[in-house]
Amino acid sequence: MKRLLFLLISISISTLTFGQLSGSYTVGGSGGYFTSVVQAVDSLNRQGVNGAVVFNIRSGTYTGRLRINRPTGTSTTNTVTFRPDTTNTTPVVIQYTGSSSNRSVLMFNGSQHISFDSLTIKSRGTSYSIVVEFMGAARYISVDGCKLEGYINATTGTYQTVVYDNSGSSNMSRDITIENNEIIGGSHSIYTYGSNTSSQQTGWKIINNNIYDWNYMGIRAQYTNLSVSKNKVSSKINGGYSYPYGVYLYYCYNTEVRGNNIQVEGSVYAQYGVYMYQCHATSSSRKYFANNIINVPKGRYGIYMNRNNYIDFVHNTIKTGTKYNATYTTYYYAGASNVVRNNIFYNSTGGYAFYRIGTAPTMSHNNYSSTGAKANFTLAGTDKTVDPVFNSLSDLHINSITLDGSGTNIAGITKDIDGDTRTSTRDMGADEFTARNHDLMPVKLILPGEGGCGEDSTQVTILVRNNGKLSQTSQPVTVIVISPIQDTITGTGTKTIASGKMDTVKVGKINTTIGGNFVFKLITNLSTEQRRENDTLLITKHRIYKSPRAPVVGNNICLLYTSPSP
């Protein structure tokens, strides 16, 4: 009798302890159902689920590797979510130091219907520093609103990727969503790899992420059908790989790229803003490469398109140059039935704005701007060759009156990169804008000149442009000196500046004898201004040399400024 009672009690305890999970569970903190995230994952793998499960994780730093297999019972209704507890006031951080045998902080090993929401997941490893890893046939996985921190000093190693997808026929993950995340560091930010041209992963979505400080490639995809949209992709500016790629797409069939802002700069030069090789759609299901801004101030190619088929390449703004003599803003090698319309191609260093080889795509209503050859073919009558007048070197929103309404209607593109409605009189490029009657913008700092000597009364003069339809007879401006001194001066230009023209405004004088890397903010203050978004221009690292303390005999030299010790 005692043995029977003991057996019944043991069965009851076993059922309580190892029964399938369902409902909400608190992780961590005082009285949490699970003491750690690792314990919660272990229970999930061991017990499975028989209903939807939510793990509410309390604030704190949790150290340990999370390997989620395929828990029994998960489905479209029996989903599993890891998220911060609603009472938290500080972040949840999950961290781990990887090794050759356990390379990642979080692994989805054939997992299905799992979501991670609004968590910080951080690798503390170096050579093995994957943050999120996909293994096996993972399905229906979402990483949304998280901060994913990779190794900031990564080189080019694939095991230093922030989000890494294992390759091969046994590792075909699909229906994966990476959305609304902050993705920092790594050799690659995201690297997804299917099997081959006839066996591709499907349903990958990379949406609205801020991807920055990566070293080698921002987004790299091979043999994967995916959507890349609304992401900001920015390479390291200092100390990164010599020849980085912003987005690399290789045999990615039925892939669409929309509304991304891609900024790439290498320590020597950027190899490609976007590299797109044999990414084919079909005649019955064409795909868009649309509404993207690609800025490669120091690189060889803005975009390299090679043998892609059935792609509508429309409403993109692509700029190269200012820091390196870019050979091609756009390099196009013939594909089948492609369309190129309503784009802005801008090469500021004399290379080709657009260079094509082989059969031409259907082309019209594009703007080709270069100080050298615009293109290696005859332009269409609907094409333009004007300066787009960007807001700044890095902000490629346009201001050219000539480009206002210069495009042609494309039914499938109803919004611009900012979500603004495309009007019936379309603009070229990623940005839809309407020229106003009154629109003044700062263009350049004329004085003090960079590399000059500091003076106690240094003239400040700026160049302004009238982007409005009407002439401007008065141009009030402000210049704020942010560092290494702090000062604010104002002035008003009194020359008449016609529509689309520029002129200088003398603002006032400042003391620059301290020398150093000056930071200026230039502001136009037109009272009737109708487009405030282009009224401010930030000038950084404007070198002025320190004045000598006593007169210098002979050559007119001044002392090189040295920053004081912190």
Side-chain angles (χ1 to χ4, degrees):
M1 185 65 181
K2 289 182 178 180
R3 290 182 179 178
L4 178 60
L5 181 60
F6 177 77
L7 180 60
L8 291 172
I9 292 172
S10 298
I11 291 172
S12 298
I13 292 173
S14 177
T15 302
L16 177 65
T17 306
F18 300 106
Q20 289 180 304
L21 302 177
S22 181
S24 297
Y25 300 88
T26 303
V27 179
S30 177
Y33 191 93
F34 297 105
T35 59
S36 68
V37 186
V38 169
Q39 186 187 54
V41 168
D42 287 345
S43 294
L44 175 66
N45 286 332
R46 185 176 62 250
Q47 297 170 235
V49 304
N50 63 0
V53 173
V54 177
F55 294 104
N56 295 303
I57 309 171
R58 289 176 173 161
S59 297
T61 298
Y62 299 83
T63 300
R65 184 170 189 254
L66 309 181
R67 175 177 172 141
I68 303 177
N69 299 322
R70 186 178 176 183
T72 58
T74 57
S75 67
T76 54
T77 55
N78 293 350
T79 59
V80 177
T81 302
F82 292 81
R83 70 184 187 191
D85 189 83
T86 56
T87 64
N88 288 357
T89 57
T90 56
V92 173
V93 179
I94 301 169
Q95 62 181 18
Y96 179 73
T97 303
S99 65
S100 59
S101 55
N102 294 304
R103 303 173 303 208
S104 56
V105 183
L106 168 61
M107 174 189 275
F108 294 105
N109 182 34
S111 317
Q112 295 191 13
H113 303 287
I114 310 290
S115 298
F116 273 68
D117 183 5
S118 304
L119 303 168
T120 296
I121 308 174
K122 179 179 181 179
S123 174
R124 299 180 63 186
T126 54
S127 298
Y128 302 94
S129 50
I130 298 170
V131 178
V132 178
E133 182 175 10
F134 292 91
M135 177 76 76
R139 303 279 190 274
Y140 311 111
I141 304 298
S142 171
V143 180
D144 189 343
C146 293
K147 184 176 184 179
L148 308 177
E149 296 187 45
Y151 179 41
I152 200 66
N153 294 316
T155 55
T156 60
T158 54
Y159 296 151
Q160 296 176 318
T161 299
V162 180
V163 178
Y164 179 71
D165 170 42
N166 285 278
S167 63
S169 58
S170 61
N171 295 305
M172 298 293 285
S173 297
R174 63 177 175 83
D175 298 301
I176 309 298
T177 301
I178 310 296
E179 186 171 11
N180 301 323
N181 301 288
E182 184 180 0
I183 305 177
I184 309 165
S187 57
H188 307 69
S189 292
I190 300 173
Y191 185 1
T192 172
Y193 198 123
S195 182
N196 52 57
T197 55
S198 59
S199 180
Q200 299 212 0
Q201 297 181 139
T202 60
W204 277 71
K205 297 178 181 178
I206 302 172
I207 304 171
N208 198 39
N209 301 286
N210 186 10
I211 299 169
Y212 62 95
D213 278 353
W214 44 272
N215 187 65
Y216 181 33
M217 294 188 185
I219 297 173
R220 179 175 182 175
Q222 298 180 223
Y223 308 117
T224 301
N225 303 174
L226 73 161
S227 173
V228 181
S229 62
K230 301 180 182 179
N231 302 285
K232 184 176 181 182
V233 183
S234 309
S235 66
K236 281 185 176 179
I237 295 177
N238 298 308
Y241 184 61
S242 298
Y243 315 107
Y245 297 64
V247 176
Y248 178 97
L249 304 173
Y250 185 83
Y251 281 105
C252 292
Y253 296 164
N254 300 309
T255 287
E256 197 149 84
V257 181
R258 288 204 198 197
N260 302 283
N261 191 326
I262 301 167
Q263 308 270 339
V264 186
E265 186 171 338
S267 60
V268 177
Y269 58 77
Q271 189 73 349
Y272 303 94
V274 174
Y275 178 97
M276 190 172 180
Y277 182 79
Q278 298 215 34
C279 296
H280 307 317
T282 64
S283 58
S284 60
S285 182
R286 302 178 64 88
K287 296 299 178 183
Y288 281 110
F289 191 107
N291 277 342
N292 301 287
I293 285 177
I294 303 170
N295 185 20
V296 186
K298 188 179 179 183
R300 293 181 61 191
Y301 301 88
I303 182 169
Y304 182 95
M305 298 184 68
N306 194 330
R307 306 178 196 184
N308 307 289
N309 298 336
Y310 301 103
I311 303 297
D312 290 331
F313 189 89
V314 298
H315 281 300
N316 300 287
T317 299
I318 307 174
K319 174 179 174 289
T320 55
T322 68
K323 294 184 180 181
Y324 183 85
N325 292 331
T327 310
Y328 312 102
T329 297
T330 299
Y331 183 96
Y332 177 89
Y333 193 99
S337 300
N338 296 317
V339 172
V340 179
R341 286 196 176 110
N342 287 0
N343 301 286
I344 294 173
F345 306 109
Y346 182 90
N347 191 319
S348 64
T349 53
Y352 285 99
F354 195 106
Y355 189 91
R356 76 184 188 208
I357 295 177
T359 304
T362 300
M363 303 181 74
S364 70
H365 297 85
N366 297 295
N367 184 65
Y368 305 89
S369 180
S370 174
T371 55
K374 309 297 190 282
N376 65 332
F377 52 87
T378 302
L379 303 185
T382 57
D383 292 333
K384 304 290 185 182
T385 57
V386 302
D387 184 346
V389 190
F390 297 124
N391 277 353
S392 70
L393 294 177
S394 58
D395 181 354
L396 304 192
H397 289 76
I398 64 174
N399 297 280
S400 170
I401 295 175
T402 305
L403 294 182
D404 184 23
S406 60
T408 186
N409 187 52
I410 297 172
I413 305 297
T414 60
K415 304 283 186 179
D416 76 350
I417 189 172
D418 304 311
D420 297 332
T421 299
R422 293 280 184 187
T423 62
S424 56
T425 54
R426 296 293 181 92
D427 296 336
M428 296 176 182
D431 174 36
E432 188 79 13
F433 89 108
T434 301
R436 307 295 185 181
N437 288 333
H438 304 283
D439 181 14
L440 196 67
M441 69 176 284
V443 176
K444 185 179 180 181
L445 179 67
I446 301 297
L447 293 174
E450 189 166 16
C453 297
E455 299 176 350
D456 58 5
S457 184
T458 301
Q459 178 65 51
V460 177
T461 301
I462 72 172
L463 183 68
V464 298
R465 179 185 177 96
N466 179 14
N467 296 318
K469 297 177 181 180
L470 302 180
S471 296
Q472 297 298 331
T473 58
S474 177
Q475 307 91 37
V477 299
T478 298
V479 173
I480 300 173
V481 188
I482 298 173
S483 69
I485 63 169
Q486 290 76 49
D487 200 353
T488 300
I489 55 176
T490 60
T492 301
T494 57
K495 301 175 185 177
T496 297
I497 305 179
S499 174
K501 301 300 182 181
M502 296 183 288
D503 212 329
T504 57
V505 176
K506 289 185 176 181
V507 187
K509 296 186 177 183
I510 60 173
N511 188 328
T512 59
T513 55
I514 190 174
N517 287 321
F518 277 68
V519 178
F520 297 91
K521 182 183 288 188
L522 317 183
I523 305 169
T524 51
N525 300 313
L526 196 64
S527 61
T528 54
E529 179 66 56
Q530 293 174 296
R531 292 188 71 222
R532 291 290 179 190
E533 61 266 29
N534 61 9
D535 285 356
T536 300
L537 179 63
L538 188 66
I539 307 294
T540 61
K541 296 182 180 179
H542 192 86
R543 174 60 66 89
I544 298 174
Y545 292 102
K546 187 176 182 180
S547 296
R549 294 180 180 177
V552 177
V553 179
N555 294 331
N556 183 21
I557 61 172
C558 50
L559 304 177
L560 180 63
Y561 172 77
T562 302
S563 298
S565 300

